[in-house]
């Protein structure tokens, strides 16, 4: 099966009330881990690469690894998504290099750290929608800013400042109407990375009610949760046990994500949990076998550890069991089906 536009996966998820994990990748083992999890659970797949991942891998490697995944697993629909595009040029280069879906994160200016004005966001996102839909490529936009680290797609906002940048539901309605995005990422108090919350989050810091209100106003818009790693305590513990340093921290509980899925969330971004699993597995090998120097002996266990996380999320979000039910569509076949869908399904 060729790579599919993300839109068809989101539509299927909405029609069947489930969510899709979108896992970040930077190398072959991570793609293999996701595909192994997808085969084990019969799950459709969203694989995403950030600007940093594209720089690290090079688009030619990335595209061909993704095409290998599609060739080896013809029964699994796979979308290849750009995570946190920072400009029209970045999104266009991703489309030219085989991505079937792009995120234009116009919540920040092109520097990836300065909160942008609403008008700038609408304008740049609309331009990306026009360019992408002309090729049948899906577009995710973002309104409101995540908190936490300044990582090239985060403003480095403190938890208190982040509360002032949550998505405004009324603005969300206007944003979707004016941009015609396929999916909308919302800010609800989450942040990228391992250090999201200092204790198990409650509704004052993880503001799920914002999602409920946006879903009430935009019942047909596919919503996206970023910064949605759950930061499992057992993964932190493995890293600590084998010599790593992880401070006390808490992520987004899976049950809160499931609540989001009941309220229109169709894409759930997970990167950190896989990074933690990989790091713990590699540290374990290095600690237990000090003479080991064959990369397969530590990258293999790392891949297995990531697969386990992916299986758990695919099952918890409800995408398991759906791969075989989705009729594959190519981007070229989506061109006529393109504009205005997010608000009008
Ligand atoms: O959006 C954040 C993802 O975890 C990607 O992070 O920019 O370090 O690749 P990255
Ligand atoms: P995490 O850091 O919580 O895994 O979030 C990843 C993300 O939102 C990628 O866009
Ligand atoms: Zn993100």
């Amino acid at each position: 099966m060729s790579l599919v536009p993300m839109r068809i996966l989101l539509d299927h998820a909405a029609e069947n009330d489930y969510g899709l994990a979108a896992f970040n990748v930077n190398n072959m083992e991570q793609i293999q881990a996701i595909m192994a999890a997808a085969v084990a659970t019969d799950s459709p797949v969203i694989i995403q690469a950030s600007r940093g991942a594209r720089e690290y891998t090079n688009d030619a490697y990335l595209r061909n690894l993704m095409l290998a995944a599609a060739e080896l697993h013809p029964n699994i629909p796979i979308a290849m998504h750009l995570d946190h595009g920072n400009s029209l040029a970045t999104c266009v280069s991703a489309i030219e290099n085989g991505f079937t879906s792009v995120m234009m994160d116009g919540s920040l200016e092109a520097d990836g750290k300065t909160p942008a004005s609403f008008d700038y966001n609408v304008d740049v996102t609309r331009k990306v929608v026009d360019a992408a839909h002309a090729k049948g490529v899906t577009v995710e936009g973002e309104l409101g800013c995540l908190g936490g680290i300044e990582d090239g797609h985060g403003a480095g906002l403190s938890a208190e400042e982040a509360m002032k940048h949550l998505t405004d539901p009324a603005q969300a309605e206007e944003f979707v109407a004016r941009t015609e995005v396929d999916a909308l990422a919302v800010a609800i108090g989450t942040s990228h990375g391992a250090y999201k919350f200092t204790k198990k989050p409650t509704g004052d810091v993880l503001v799920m009610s914002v999602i409920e209100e946006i879903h009430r106003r935009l019942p047909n818009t596919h919503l996206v949760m970023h910064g949605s790693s759950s930061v499992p305590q057992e993964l932190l513990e493995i890293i600590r046990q084998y010599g790593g340093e992880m401070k006390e921290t808490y992520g987004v509980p899976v049950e809160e994500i499931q609540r989001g899925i009941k309220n229109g969330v169709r894409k759930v971004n997970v990167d950190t949990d896989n990074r933690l699993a990989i790091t713990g597995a590699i540290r374990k090998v290095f600690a237990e076998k000090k003479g080991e120097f064959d990369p397969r002996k530590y990258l293999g266990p790392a891949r297995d550890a990531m697969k386990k996380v992916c299986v758990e999320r695919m099952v918890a979000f409800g995408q398991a069991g759906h791969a075989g039910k989705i009729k594959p569509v190519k981007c070229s076949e989506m061109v006529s089906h393109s504009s205005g869908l997010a608000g009008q399904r």
Side-chain angles (χ1 to χ4, degrees):
M1 190 187 289
S2 55
L3 301 172
V4 301
M6 187 170 74
R7 177 74 201 221
I8 68 156
L9 304 187
L10 301 176
D11 285 351
H12 192 267
E15 280 151 21
N16 295 279
D17 299 319
Y18 65 90
L20 293 142
F23 299 114
N24 289 72
V25 298
N26 297 274
N27 64 18
M28 178 184 75
E29 283 80 2
Q30 289 182 301
I31 295 175
Q32 290 175 325
I34 297 165
M35 293 314 299
V39 170
T41 59
D42 187 37
S43 294
V45 162
I46 301 172
I47 295 182
Q48 58 188 10
S50 66
R51 277 183 293 137
R54 291 175 70 195
E55 241 168 68
Y56 179 80
T57 50
N58 184 306
D59 280 347
Y61 279 113
L62 202 55
R63 178 178 64 252
N64 283 295
L65 286 168
M66 296 292 297
L67 291 174
E71 180 185 322
L72 291 169
H73 305 291
N75 299 324
I76 307 279
I78 309 169
M80 177 176 172
H81 177 75
L82 169 69
D83 192 24
H84 292 283
N86 65 323
S87 66
L88 174 63
T90 300
C91 294
V92 167
S93 83
I95 295 166
E96 285 168 351
N97 280 291
F99 284 75
T100 61
S101 179
V102 294
M103 174 183 190
M104 177 60 233
D105 182 357
S107 72
L108 300 174
E109 292 181 4
D111 64 4
K113 56 184 178 189
T114 309
S117 70
F118 181 71
D119 286 341
Y120 167 85
N121 194 355
V122 169
D123 183 56
V124 71
T125 305
R126 178 75 234 188
K127 288 191 171 99
V128 170
V129 168
D130 289 342
H133 283 182
K135 307 261 183 216
V137 169
T138 307
V139 180
E140 172 185 340
E142 174 164 331
L143 186 64
C145 297
L146 301 189
I149 51 178
E150 203 178 281
D151 60 353
H153 19 254
L157 302 175
S158 68
E160 202 173 66
E161 285 165 339
M163 286 300 131
K164 296 183 199 138
H165 290 269
L166 299 184
T167 310
D168 174 334
Q171 255 189 0
E173 274 186 272
E174 187 183 340
F175 185 80
V176 169
R178 287 174 61 187
T179 60
E180 302 190 38
V181 287
D182 299 287
L184 178 69
V186 293
I188 55 165
T190 66
S191 54
H192 291 139
Y195 298 102
K196 301 181 192 303
F197 303 111
T198 52
K199 56 185 173 57
K200 194 174 173 208
T202 45
D204 51 335
V205 289
L206 177 60
V207 195
M208 297 302 296
S209 56
V210 167
I211 288 189
E212 289 166 353
E213 176 59 13
I214 295 172
H215 183 54
R216 197 184 64 72
R217 290 171 181 253
L218 291 166
N220 296 320
T221 295
H222 303 309
L223 304 180
V224 182
M225 281 174 69
H226 280 248
S228 290
S229 277
S230 301
V231 193
Q233 295 300 310
E234 61 272 20
L235 294 183
L236 298 176
E237 209 34 65
I238 293 172
I239 293 177
R240 291 184 190 120
Q241 187 185 342
Y242 295 104
E245 287 174 8
M246 295 299 306
K247 288 179 264 183
E248 184 178 5
T249 179
Y250 297 85
V252 182
V254 167
E255 57 274 18
E256 295 297 336
I257 296 170
Q258 289 168 331
R259 181 174 160 198
I261 291 168
K262 289 199 181 84
N263 287 281
V265 171
R266 301 293 158 226
K267 175 172 179 279
V268 184
N269 285 14
V270 175
D271 186 1
T272 295
D273 285 351
N274 288 325
R275 293 180 178 195
L276 294 172
I278 287 168
T279 301
I282 290 178
R283 279 193 172 279
K284 183 168 188 295
V285 174
F286 285 169
E288 289 178 347
K289 298 181 187 154
K290 296 208 188 297
E292 188 55 73
F293 60 89
D294 177 349
R296 292 170 297 188
K297 297 289 173 13
Y298 50 87
L299 295 180
R303 185 172 60 190
D304 294 344
M306 174 162 164
K307 176 189 167 190
K308 183 169 179 291
V309 171
C310 294
V311 165
E312 286 168 5
R313 298 297 175 277
M314 286 168 166
V315 170
F317 300 166
Q319 75 203 82
H322 286 286
K325 300 180 196 158
I326 297 172
K327 188 177 155 295
V329 172
K330 293 191 177 113
C331 285
S332 54
E333 296 170 76
M334 285 292 283
V335 174
S336 58
H337 172 73
S338 56
S339 66
L341 292 172
Q344 298 174 17
R345 261 189 333 103

